Amino acid sequence: MTPERFNECLQHIRWTPINIASALQCDLSWIEALEAGNEEVPNGLAGWLEALAQTHERSPPPPTFCQRRADIHS
């Protein structure tokens, strides 16, 4: 997986580097190295991210809820 695709997958999943570091319980510095291409993305991680990203690509959030607000009566 290229660093570009790694970052693209994170965008589709809507994860920041901090989010994925938390999910994987790993150092943020390792995630930053993957983002920059200074470390190779392991195959197992690449496959998992691809599966998640493809799911999000196929099923984007429904646009009917954009800009909805809570109707709070006080």
Side-chain angles (χ1 to χ4, degrees):
M1 171 177 276
T2 66
E4 293 79 19
R5 181 60 183 158
F6 178 81
N7 289 306
E8 193 174 82
C9 286
L10 293 185
Q11 288 177 346
H12 285 293
I13 301 165
R14 295 176 183 83
W15 276 355
T16 66
I18 292 171
N19 296 136
I20 191 170
S22 177
L24 296 175
Q25 298 180 5
C26 67
D27 287 342
L28 179 58
S29 62
W30 183 62
I31 297 300
E32 291 169 339
L34 297 174
E35 284 184 298
N38 296 329
E39 292 274 344
E40 188 172 323
V41 179
N43 289 337
L45 177 56
W48 181 65
L49 284 175
E50 281 290 351
L52 290 173
Q54 289 173 19
T55 297
H56 283 260
E57 289 168 350
R58 286 189 306 269
S59 302
T64 55
F65 300 106
C66 287
Q67 301 183 15
R68 293 282 306 252
R69 296 175 189 227
D71 187 18
I72 300 173
H73 301 282
S74 27

